[in-house]
Amino acid sequence: MSLILESVDSSASPAKHPRTYQVRTYGCQMNVHDSERMAGLLETAGMVALEEAGPARVVDSNGEPVPDVVVFNTCAVRENADNKLYGNLGMLAHIKESNPGMQIAVGGCLAQKDRETIQKRAPWVDVVFGTHNVGALPVLLERARHNADAEMEILESLEVFPSSLPTKRDSVYSGWVSISVGCNNTCTFCIVPSLRGKERDRRPGEILAEIQALVDDGVIEITLLGQNVNSYGVEFGDRLAFGKLLRACGEIKGLERLRFTSPHPAAFTDDVIDAMAATPNVMPQLHMPLQSGSDKVLKDMRRSYRSARFLGILDKVRQQIPNASFSTDIIVGFPGETEEDFQATLDVVEKSRFATAFTYQYSKRPGTPAADLPDQLSKEVVQERFLRLTALQDRIAAEENAKQVGRKVEVMVTAASGRKAAETNRLSGRAQDQRLVHFSVPEGATAPRPGDLVTVTITGAAAFHLVADPATATDYHLRRSRAGDAWDLAQAESCGVPTAGGSASSSVKGVRPKVSLGMPSLPVRTA
């Protein structure tokens, strides 16, 4: 892939051509949220996102723009994440060779784990940084550029909680808020505890302050994040802290939708279910990782619950929140899994009636206890079981979605539409139970903006989405929201359209800045 370099006037002011960046994210919601921090840091350092930079000065042979800085935020949980990273690094090697000013940085879990390996396999990488020092990214890039040499900095423990860093959020209507980082569990298949460290909890006041700041910016949906989100409070000795936090979030005016991910079944207490049911803005949806339906496999995984406990939690949630939907994570082919064990997983899936399941084939990860277990299964056996599981879950999802036909649902409109949106003229959004809904706007009705809410009746269903095609305008209700207003303002800012009382970049109330400053930390109380 060759490069075409546009000629640039050497007398041009550096401010006229700020460096461009692109953050590529692999892995979980934690990584997605970390990438928002990385983007915020780079913009605070004077860079601009590639897609917002206008005509590119450097393009590849296909005419695709090439950024000045590429940051990979990596995952180490599964092998295909490794392969994808090194494949992409390989493709960038000759592009970087033709463009010496380009920089490549690798961060995240894989960087924390394979620090020296990355530089050996891809010596053209400029910066390697870990999960505990995201905030060092701009300094490391500048140091590498100044010294013309690679920089690697991996801290073994967290020094600054990520929420104190600048953030460029992907969405104006919804946001992530980390309530804890790290994990105290020792699941045999998981390398996360050794990469993210022991659990550290934020103080409730800091969390609520960040949520309030986001709501003031126009956000109406928040997702609380934690490696084991419902074990929140373990660091300061309050086992009921998570339920209290949910109830406190319910008092925040303007916060319409509250979600959380991912809880651990072993730490899921009845007070959390009570708080979910009693707090109106907590959505009727629960993501609860199963991993396996076999008690033997759960024991081998060091998952400190059994299938009866898992199913009991779902039953209790359904008793208090009858319209709740459930999603899960399942690993197929864990070492030593027998056909009987796998059948136990199928049985639990059948009983659970998940709306969605994220299913994975077991991936042997060096450094985890499971990697050294005997009876590693063949690829063929794992693949065959995986296909059986996904076929079962697809059937269940289709059956559960079919039950939604005829129901009236409130949908928060998203910026992204379905792949067939151009053909169907449908917009997309998420119902309160997190189901994806593609809907049409009746002739004569007002179209919503991303962040607005529409109430429609479900007219069709498939395994992975619902459809709502209102016959008349009376079957369609639009509620314009502050989030929709924030979307309009953000669009105006990006286009340089002046806002009332000043320019598009004016700091007027209600205008969301492109990058929000990090949250200040409260001083630690002493006895």
Side-chain angles (χ1 to χ4, degrees), residues 337-413:
E337 179 190 77
T338 64
E339 179 61 29
E340 182 181 8
D341 293 325
F342 178 65
Q343 184 59 52
T345 295
L346 297 180
D347 293 342
V348 173
V349 169
E350 186 75 66
K351 294 174 184 175
S352 298
R353 310 299 296 177
F354 297 117
T356 306
F358 300 92
T359 52
Y360 306 97
Q361 298 184 33
Y362 169 74
S363 181
K364 185 176 181 179
R365 308 305 292 134
T368 62
D372 299 321
L373 288 176
D375 302 322
Q376 302 279 334
L377 275 62
S378 69
K379 177 68 175 175
E380 293 75 20
V381 169
V382 176
Q383 175 71 9
E384 189 272 336
R385 290 179 183 172
F386 177 80
L387 292 176
R388 272 195 282 158
L389 174 61
T390 53
L392 171 64
Q393 176 53 38
D394 289 352
R395 172 179 65 76
I396 292 171
E399 291 171 354
E400 292 301 304
N401 278 355
K403 296 177 183 177
Q404 307 303 310
V405 175
R407 281 190 61 208
K408 189 169 286 188
V409 300
E410 184 183 67
V411 177
M412 188 177 78
V413 183

Side-chain angles (χ1 to χ4, degrees), residues 489 492 497-509 511:
L489 287 166
V497 178
T499 57
S503 68
S505 59
S506 297
S507 181
V508 297
K509 184 171 178 58
V511 177

